[in-house]
Amino acid sequence: MQLKKIKFRLFAPQLNEDEVVAITGNQPLLGNWAPEKAIYLTGRMFPQWEALLNLSTIAFPLEYKFIVVKKTTKDLCYWEEGENRIIEQVPDFKKNTVTVSGVPLRSPKAPRWKIAGTVIPVFSLRSKNSFGIGDIGDVKLLIDWAEQTGQRIIQLLPINDTTHSHTWRDSYPYSAISIYAIHPIYVSINMLGQLNNVKKRKKYEEIQEFLNNKESLDYEEVARQKQQYLYDYYWENRESIKKDAHFRDFCRKNEDWLLPYVVFTDNIEAYKSSDLSKWGNQAVYQRKSIEFLYKSGALDNDKVTFTYFVQYTLHQQLAEISKYAREKKILLKGDLPIGVNRTSVEAWSEKKLFNMEQQAGAPPDDFSQIGQNWSFPTYNWKKMEADGFQWWKKRLENLGKFFDCMRIDHILGFFRIWEIPLDYVEGLCGHFRPALPLTVEEIEQWGLRFNRLWTVPKIRKDNLEYFFGKDAAEITEKYLKSIDSKHFVLDKHCSTQQKIIHLPDTPEHVIQGLMQIANEVLFLEDPYEKGKYHPRISAKNAHVYNELSREEQAAFDRLYNDFFYVRHNEFWKETALKRLVPLLDSTDMLICGEDLGMIPASVHEVMEKLNILSLELGRLSKKMNSEFTDLQQVPYYSVCTTSTHDMNPIRAWWKEDAQKTQRYYNEALGYSGEAPAECSVEIAEQIVGNHLNAASMLTIIPLQDWFAIDDSIKQPDESKERINVPANPNHYWRYRMHITLEQLLQIRFFNRKIAAIIKNSGR
């Protein structure tokens, strides 16, 4: 019988070369609080520190703290601050070893540890060895650049496989078809190796040069050519690959997700569609049937082995880059998308965990006035909770193999998700889930006599010209029908937004007008509890709101404000804690949350309680009645940045809204007079500097905004630097650096400038 052990893990990247972490506590094993008898942690996986103790040597409750000592002299440097850490009782062992990973090392009152870094999607990187797209190998060069400039962290966007249509639409990195599979497009050909066939090798070198010279990512051509290269490489090395012990071990350990992934991707090709309804008897996932086909040889064995090999290669390459970063003491920060594609391996093979009748998105915010519809299925949290959230824990465990920190995309989804009916394309007519919808009695208690017609999209006759101009009469006859002397509703053939966008031979202005009418409601009936209602988000902007009397508007406003800003605070707090605590207990990564948008009051309380770093931007304040953020007042446990991938970088943002820029120029930057039309190098450097000097633990600057601080480096056309436009669900993600990483590493004056700015900020 194996001994049960406890592994203590601590995130402590701030230690100097001659320092080490030790653990002491109320046990003889831990020295009974005597620092000289403490147990030392190993820093082999820096910035993670570990100590492994036998359970039989520990009595509970266990109280302990971490200390920092000199590596050579063993002299005590300091105790961590705060209360003792406590484990009240013997942990629940599902395996022979249980891992205890707490918050980062709590440094004493000495200056707090702060670092700077860069954020960039992998696909945006460019090097001489690229194949038309940034790849895992290019991250190594980015690590070298970070080291040269005094940066200590690199943040990447998701790299999961997103292939469901084999078109440029798959370029959206937050629409994963697998929570485990890495996108084959990110294989580093340079790390993989050359082909033996000289003729083919020369052909691919020509293709590589052609694709590398393109200004932006040609997603479809890159995906096609890389896949063909991988096929050719596999067939040249097929026999040795199959015999490779490391490869075979990877396949055995990961078969639970590899096999469904292989069959899923094979079905997309076989049926020329990711629409499960077109897959015949494969539409419903049957594990035993698939295993039988695989073991009986009915599945193409080489197709299976090839797909396994590609994933093995990707995971090995990422592990190598992760090891390289840790050797350089550069932290890698990953990204955990909140959703998965509606046609994904998990939505197919674990359907019970998803609500396929709804779609996830976000309510209106600074990024989109009509909200966002991501089209992802929402989660069946009750099913997930039943097994202790194993689905989420396995995701974090997998990411923890490669990353030291993790950004949880749209962390608000753990409190509540914005759920949109399948009939809708836009996000205005969504509702929060979970929520506490209102009964008719509750609505009327606010002084508003409920009218069920408020749940039916309709428009007044005298507003038709606003939507359709001089063509109003003709359009009304074709697309609307009268319900009384003053109102029209959408006709049956265009009664939903999904029907509207598929209307044949219909002018765009008509489509847009009909789409707006589909949003003309004051309340939405809850899909789970009939007879209960949600007020429509941003209802004051709807024409139907203007039909209310002043008294009714005042009553609706009171109801609305209570519903969205008061009613759910404790409810969502309890919901988030129930979901997040088990997840955070299962990982030792430093967790950061993307908490932008419509933020419930309880979000900051929960994030602070759980030591989840918030996201802070100077140009976007989270405080009511404050347009810009006071960067000196943001929490220490936060990530500060000048831009996100959903925004224009600072130079293009400067030109978005002249009035807002003027206010930012005067209020945030402290200048008097008129703001210049262009964001000069001096202004860009001040903006970057302000964010580096913020109170945040981490300041992570988009690569484009680093470029903005030097005229000789920056992209001549700032409009080409944007990564995503969230209001556009069909946006093509294709931004690439305009210079190579090799060139960047050689621009000494620019790199010294960045290093000096970072050093002067105390990071």
Side-chain angles (χ1 to χ4, degrees):
M1 182 174 161
Q2 286 186 308
L3 286 173
K4 295 191 183 304
K5 297 181 179 181
I6 298 182
K7 181 184 289 184
F8 290 89
R9 273 187 184 163
L10 183 74
F11 182 80
Q14 65 266 54
L15 269 63
N16 296 322
E17 291 281 353
D18 62 341
E19 293 175 340
V20 65
V21 182
I23 181 173
T24 185
N26 66 340
Q27 311 276 317
L29 176 70
L30 300 181
N32 284 325
W33 298 112
E36 66 275 10
K37 296 180 180 179
I39 289 182
Y40 286 39
L41 278 70
T42 175
R44 285 194 303 268
M45 296 297 289
F46 182 90
Q48 306 290 350
W49 297 79
E50 293 185 351
L52 190 63
L53 307 179
N54 289 333
L55 180 66
S56 60
T57 61
I58 297 173
F60 293 90
L62 165 64
E63 289 191 45
Y64 64 100
K65 262 191 173 180
F66 295 104
I67 59 174
V68 175
V69 299
K70 290 289 184 183
K71 191 180 293 184
T72 51
T73 65
K74 314 301 183 188
D75 292 338
L76 175 68
C77 298
Y78 55 84
W79 290 76
E80 69 169 341
E81 62 183 8
E83 299 294 324
N84 294 341
R85 300 174 189 255
I86 300 175
I87 302 176
E88 296 285 356
Q89 57 189 15
V90 180
D92 181 21
F93 281 83
K94 290 187 171 61
K95 298 179 181 178
N96 287 319
T97 300
V98 65
T99 300
V100 177
S101 54
V103 296
L105 177 68
R106 304 187 299 239
S107 297
K109 294 178 181 178
R112 282 176 153 174
W113 177 76
K114 296 163 79 173
I115 60 170
T118 293
V119 54
I120 190 74
V122 174
F123 63 76
S124 297
L125 298 173
R126 184 190 293 269
S127 77
K128 291 178 182 177
N129 291 319
S130 298
F131 204 92
I133 186 174
D135 58 42
I136 292 173
D138 292 336
V139 179
K140 185 176 182 179
L141 292 174
L142 188 64
I143 292 167
D144 290 338
W145 179 69
E147 182 186 37
Q148 186 181 127
T149 52
Q151 300 180 63
R152 296 286 301 278
I153 186 167
I154 289 171
Q155 178 178 330
L156 305 173
L157 269 59
I159 55 175
N160 300 82
D161 193 355
T162 56
T163 309
H164 67 277
S165 69
H166 291 284
T167 69
W168 63 265
R169 294 178 185 277
D170 299 343
S171 67
Y172 178 33
Y174 289 89
S175 186
I177 65 159
S178 169
I179 60 175
Y180 300 109
I182 302 173
H183 203 311
I185 209 167
Y186 293 127
V187 165
S188 169
I189 299 299
N190 186 54
M191 291 175 72
L192 178 63
Q194 291 187 335
L195 297 175
N196 297 322
N197 186 303
V198 177
K199 185 177 179 181
K200 284 186 177 181
R201 189 165 70 221
K202 188 170 183 180
K203 181 193 78 169
Y204 282 117
E205 285 171 355
E206 291 172 356
I207 292 169
Q208 180 182 29
E209 183 179 6
F210 171 72
L211 292 173
N212 272 350
N213 287 334
K214 291 199 170 192
E215 182 179 62
S216 56
L217 168 62
D218 185 344
Y219 184 91
E220 293 177 16
E221 188 63 18
V222 167
R224 184 162 47 248
Q225 295 295 348
K226 263 202 164 179
Q227 186 77 348
Q228 190 57 53
Y229 186 97
L230 291 169
Y231 271 126
D232 289 343
Y233 184 91
Y234 170 76
W235 281 102
E236 274 195 0
N237 299 276
R238 175 171 171 260
E239 296 307 317
S240 61
I241 288 169
K242 289 184 175 183
K243 293 175 183 176
D244 187 300
H246 295 294
F247 169 63
R248 293 165 68 91
D249 187 54
F250 172 83
C251 296
R252 179 181 57 80
K253 288 180 177 177
N254 295 279
E255 192 176 55
D256 276 354
W257 67 265
L258 275 170
L259 187 55
Y261 170 71
V262 167
V263 177
F264 183 86
T265 53
D266 190 40
N267 283 345
I268 289 177
E269 289 188 30
Y271 295 100
K272 308 299 181 188
S273 173
S274 61
D275 182 351
L276 302 182
S277 67
K278 297 179 180 178
W279 286 10
N281 59 7
Q282 290 285 338
V284 177
Y285 176 78
Q286 297 177 24
R287 176 83 191 191
K288 289 183 178 179
S289 173
I290 287 171
E291 287 178 343
F292 173 77
L293 291 172
Y294 172 62
K295 291 173 181 176
S296 68
L299 291 175
D300 185 329
N301 188 53
D302 272 308
K303 187 171 284 189
V304 171
T305 307
F306 168 73
T307 304
Y308 280 22
F309 166 70
V310 172
Q311 287 303 312
Y312 167 73
T313 301
L314 286 158
H315 282 74
Q316 291 297 106
Q317 289 185 353
L318 188 57
E320 184 178 332
I321 295 302
S322 178
K323 182 174 181 288
Y324 184 75
R326 284 171 175 151
E327 289 170 352
K328 297 281 186 178
K329 297 195 174 180
I330 305 291
L331 307 182
L332 284 187
K333 183 181 177 189
D335 198 326
L336 179 73
I338 189 63
V340 298
N341 196 293
R342 182 169 293 274
T343 50
S344 64
V345 179
E346 285 73 32
W348 175 57
S349 63
E350 301 180 84
K351 193 174 180 180
K352 66 180 181 180
L353 300 180
F354 300 90
N355 178 7
M356 304 300 289
E357 301 306 313
Q358 299 285 332
Q359 46 195 345
D365 55 22
D366 287 350
F367 304 121
S368 174
Q369 293 185 351
I370 59 171
Q372 299 176 46
N373 183 349
W374 305 325
S375 300
F376 306 145
T378 57
Y379 294 120
N380 185 335
W381 283 101
K382 285 187 177 180
K383 289 287 186 183
M384 290 180 162
E385 186 181 359
D387 68 356
F389 304 103
Q390 289 302 312
W391 190 84
W392 286 99
K393 289 178 180 178
K394 286 187 287 186
R395 288 186 76 179
L396 287 173
E397 181 184 0
N398 182 61
L399 291 165
K401 296 172 185 175
F402 313 112
F403 298 104
D404 309 296
C405 314
M406 186 55 55
R407 170 190 181 270
I408 297 182
D409 170 51
H410 195 68
I411 197 169
L412 302 179
F414 286 89
F415 293 76
R416 79 292 186 274
I417 199 70
W418 188 246
E419 200 170 63
I420 305 161
L422 289 178
D423 284 343
Y424 280 88
V425 176
E426 298 171 345
L428 277 175
C429 285
H431 57 273
F432 286 122
R433 173 78 172 168
L436 304 169
L438 298 160
T439 64
V440 172
E441 291 73 23
E442 286 178 306
I443 292 170
E444 294 186 343
Q445 283 173 7
W446 288 96
L448 187 67
R449 179 123 180 131
F450 184 73
N451 184 344
R452 187 165 174 79
L453 282 176
W454 287 337
T455 67
V456 179
K458 64 182 189 305
I459 196 70
R460 280 177 65 94
K461 185 177 182 179
D462 50 13
N463 285 327
L464 290 171
E465 193 171 331
Y466 169 87
F467 289 98
F468 304 115
K470 59 183 177 56
D471 301 325
E474 179 184 346
I475 292 168
T476 299
E477 185 176 347
K478 189 172 182 180
Y479 299 101
L480 306 176
K481 67 178 182 180
S482 173
I483 57 169
D484 57 38
S485 60
K486 295 181 179 179
H487 294 94
F488 287 87
V489 295
L490 296 165
D491 207 350
K492 188 176 181 180
H493 71 286
C494 59
S495 58
T496 69
Q497 288 191 337
Q498 284 291 349
K499 290 179 180 179
I500 292 167
I501 61 169
H502 293 105
L503 287 171
D505 306 319
T506 305
E508 182 61 25
H509 77 282
V510 176
I511 295 288
Q512 291 305 314
L514 296 173
M515 293 283 279
Q516 289 182 60
I517 291 174
N519 289 324
E520 283 291 323
V521 295
L522 274 184
F523 289 93
L524 299 145
E525 188 169 21
D526 187 86
Y528 308 98
E529 297 183 80
K530 297 301 180 184
K532 293 188 177 182
Y533 301 90
H534 303 255
R536 203 212 81 178
I537 197 82
S538 302
K540 290 181 75 169
N541 298 330
H543 288 267
V544 64
Y545 175 84
N546 294 325
E547 292 189 47
L548 301 177
S549 67
R550 285 189 178 182
E551 291 76 14
E552 288 175 324
Q553 287 182 349
F556 182 84
D557 291 348
R558 292 192 299 271
L559 173 155
Y560 183 96
N561 290 332
D562 180 82
F563 186 86
F564 285 111
Y565 301 107
V566 179
R567 182 180 177 91
H568 294 89
N569 281 343
E570 285 302 310
F571 176 63
W572 284 335
K573 174 183 171 182
E574 292 170 8
T575 299
L577 288 171
K578 185 167 60 175
R579 296 170 180 176
L580 286 170
V581 169
L583 268 59
L584 298 186
D585 284 346
S586 73
T587 182
D588 56 318
M589 289 185 288
L590 180 66
I591 301 297
C592 314
E594 185 270 295
D595 57 336
L596 304 180
M598 190 176 182
I599 309 171
S602 56
V603 170
H604 293 147
E605 182 184 349
V606 169
M607 291 179 70
E608 185 176 341
K609 180 181 177 70
L610 300 181
N611 291 285
I612 299 172
L613 277 63
S614 62
L615 180 61
E616 310 292 339
L617 291 97
R619 68 168 100 160
L620 186 65
S621 176
K622 295 175 181 176
K623 292 185 177 179
M624 294 285 286
N625 305 316
S626 179
E627 187 173 16
F628 307 116
T629 301
D630 182 348
L631 296 172
Q632 294 302 310
Q633 299 301 316
V634 299
Y636 170 66
Y637 285 106
S638 68
V639 181
C640 187
T641 187
T642 50
S643 314
T644 74
H645 60 267
D646 284 332
M647 301 173 173
N648 258 323
I650 52 179
R651 288 196 300 144
W653 170 77
W654 194 263
K655 296 182 175 181
E656 266 183 15
D657 182 336
Q659 292 182 337
K660 185 168 188 174
T661 298
Q662 182 65 55
R663 294 191 297 274
Y664 186 82
Y665 182 71
N666 298 140
E667 298 170 24
L669 299 183
Y671 291 103
S672 59
E674 186 177 347
E678 301 281 337
C679 179
S680 66
V681 162
E682 293 74 21
I683 289 173
E685 189 171 337
Q686 182 178 350
I687 293 172
V688 169
N690 288 350
H691 286 74
L692 287 169
N693 285 298
S696 306
M697 176 195 287
L698 311 178
T699 292
I700 306 179
I701 306 294
L703 190 59
Q704 306 95 303
D705 289 347
W706 281 124
F707 289 157
I709 69 173
D710 197 291
D711 279 330
S712 63
I713 304 299
K714 66 188 183 188
Q715 158 76 261
D717 183 355
E718 71 275 355
S719 68
K720 294 179 179 178
E721 292 185 322
R722 183 148 194 178
I723 294 171
N724 181 40
V725 181
N728 177 11
N730 296 313
H731 180 73
Y732 191 168
W733 296 58
R734 61 189 314 199
Y735 165 72
R736 291 190 77 197
M737 297 170 61
H738 62 292
I739 59 174
T740 66
L741 285 158
E742 291 91 348
Q743 290 172 319
L744 181 59
L745 281 161
Q746 294 304 313
I747 308 173
R748 303 299 181 190
F749 68 89
F750 176 63
N751 295 333
R752 285 196 294 267
K753 181 178 184 178
I754 291 178
I757 293 171
I758 291 173
K759 185 176 181 180
N760 291 337
S761 73
R763 293 188 180 273

